[in-house]
Each structure stands twice: as C-alpha cells, then as structure tokens.
Amino acid sequence: MTAIEQTEARPRGTRLPRRARRNQLLGAAQEVFVAQGYHAAAMDDIADRAGVSKPVLYQHFPGKLDLYLALLDQHCDALLQAVRAALESTTDNKQRVAATMDAYFAFVENEGGAFRLVFESDLTNEPAVRERVEKVSLECAEAVSAVIAEDTSQPPEQAMLLAVGLCGMAQITARYWLGAGQQIPRDAAATLISSLAWRGIAGFPMHD
C-alpha cells in the first residue's frame, strides 16, 4: 500500500507505527502541495487530508518547509536512483540512452505528480529547495557524464556538457509530453527522444 493509499484508507484517530504515520503524512502532503503549490497549502489542509490533528502532524514535521523538504528529498533520490539504475541496466550504450530517457518519462508519468515538486516548484527562491533541485540535476548529469567519459574520447568537462544536454532533453521533453496529454504512448515517446539523442551521442568516437 502506498502512502497516498494509506492516507485514504485510515480513518482519523487510528494509531500507526511512527514510520507508517510519517509515510501517511508525506502522502497527504504530496497531494496538497501538488494540487495547491507550496504557498497556498496550509498545514490544516495537510492534517485534514491525512485524517490527523495538527499536533500529530507537528510531532513529525516542525513546519511546512520541513515537510516540503522531506518530500523533495524523497523524490530527488528516487529520480537519481532511477537514472543510475538505467545506466547500470546494460553495457550497450544505445540501450543505456533509451533506458535513461525512459527513466525521466517514467518519473514524470508517476501517479501523484511528484515530479512537479522537483521540476516545477513554486519555492525555488528558497535556498534549501533550490540547492536540492540543482543537486539532483547535477548528480544525474554526473552519472551520465561518467559513462560518456569512460566510453568515448571526450575529456571530462566536455563529457559533462554532453550529459547536461542529454538530461535536459529528457526532462523537458518528458514534461512537455505529459502536459500535451500523453498523445503518444510513453514507450513510443521515450523511444523517439532516445533515437534523437543516440544519433547525436553515437557520433563521438569510442575509446579503443
């Protein structure tokens, strides 16, 4: 059962183990933040959505920003792990490109709209939020860059620039695809963009 499903299934006042309660609160907070944005969301809304009192909510999260950052950490880590898993899933670089592109499409498509907290936050003027968003973007690019540098003749700084370009392409096109109503099936959309990316990156010579 997901955190959001727990939110819907548990009546107010039900006692839960601390970890389960925390997950329930995060699920409720995600729904509220995605629907309303950070500034419009209130701790009252989140407590009501979770079916708990505000004191229970504050036992786990001292304030709204703490709650938001906990969610952001969770989903930034999920994106990074998905990208790393895609890169490690094969040694065939064409398939690596396809798997990495699909990791971004899957992250954006994931039910609950968590990607909006990472890529479309209304709180990027907050240093702690901006730092996390920039960090996960950098770490994803570094993971891709390491593969490029290892397998091609590109020096590290050029490999990093290429990696930033590939990750940016994946992120922006995945968000456009979702916003346009998923008119193309996800597999086909990811394959289309990976074909474009592969035709570019495949032009760089491999190491002997």
Side-chain angles (χ1 to χ4, degrees):
M1 181 177 287
T2 66
I4 290 177
E5 287 171 338
Q6 288 177 341
T7 299
E8 295 173 345
R10 294 283 182 173
R12 182 182 293 273
T14 302
R15 294 186 63 84
L16 291 175
R18 183 171 182 82
R19 181 178 294 275
R21 178 67 77 191
R22 177 183 171 86
N23 288 338
Q24 179 200 28
L25 296 174
L26 287 171
Q30 179 177 320
E31 293 181 351
V32 174
F33 284 137
V34 168
Q36 301 181 20
Y38 178 84
H39 295 292
M43 292 294 268
D44 285 318
D45 299 329
I46 296 168
D48 286 345
R49 184 69 187 92
V52 301
S53 64
K54 277 181 68 177
V56 169
L57 180 57
Y58 281 113
Q59 286 174 9
H60 292 264
F61 300 99
K64 186 167 71 165
L65 180 59
D66 300 279
L67 184 49
Y68 191 88
L69 292 177
L71 268 175
L72 189 57
D73 285 338
Q74 182 183 82
H75 295 302
C76 284
D77 184 65
L79 174 61
L80 179 59
Q81 294 308 315
V83 170
R84 286 176 173 167
L87 293 170
E88 295 168 2
S89 65
T90 178
T91 57
D92 182 299
N93 285 326
K94 184 176 182 180
Q95 293 179 19
R96 272 177 171 158
V97 170
T100 303
M101 293 293 164
D102 188 63
Y104 278 88
F105 275 79
F107 181 71
V108 165
E109 186 187 39
N110 189 44
E111 184 179 359
F115 81 94
R116 300 190 187 281
L117 305 178
V118 180
F119 297 137
E120 298 177 1
S121 174
D122 62 343
L123 197 60
T124 52
N125 61 330
E126 167 60 45
V129 172
R130 186 169 61 251
E131 176 185 347
R132 284 164 168 80
V133 172
E134 291 175 352
K135 182 172 182 284
V136 72
S137 296
L138 180 64
E139 288 178 336
C140 288
E142 286 175 341
V144 175
S145 174
V147 175
I148 295 173
E150 180 180 354
D151 288 354
T152 74
S153 59
Q154 299 303 302
E157 62 274 11
Q158 294 185 22
M160 185 62 182
L161 189 61
L162 290 169
V164 170
L166 288 171
C167 291
M169 177 191 298
Q171 184 235 121
I172 291 172
T173 53
R175 288 168 55 202
Y176 171 81
W177 165 79
L178 187 71
Q182 300 169 276
Q183 297 173 359
I184 305 171
R186 187 186 107 197
D187 288 349
T191 298
L192 186 64
I193 299 305
S194 66
S195 296
L196 174 62
W198 175 246
R199 289 180 183 182
I201 199 68
F204 293 93
M206 297 286 288
H207 279 309
D208 293 335

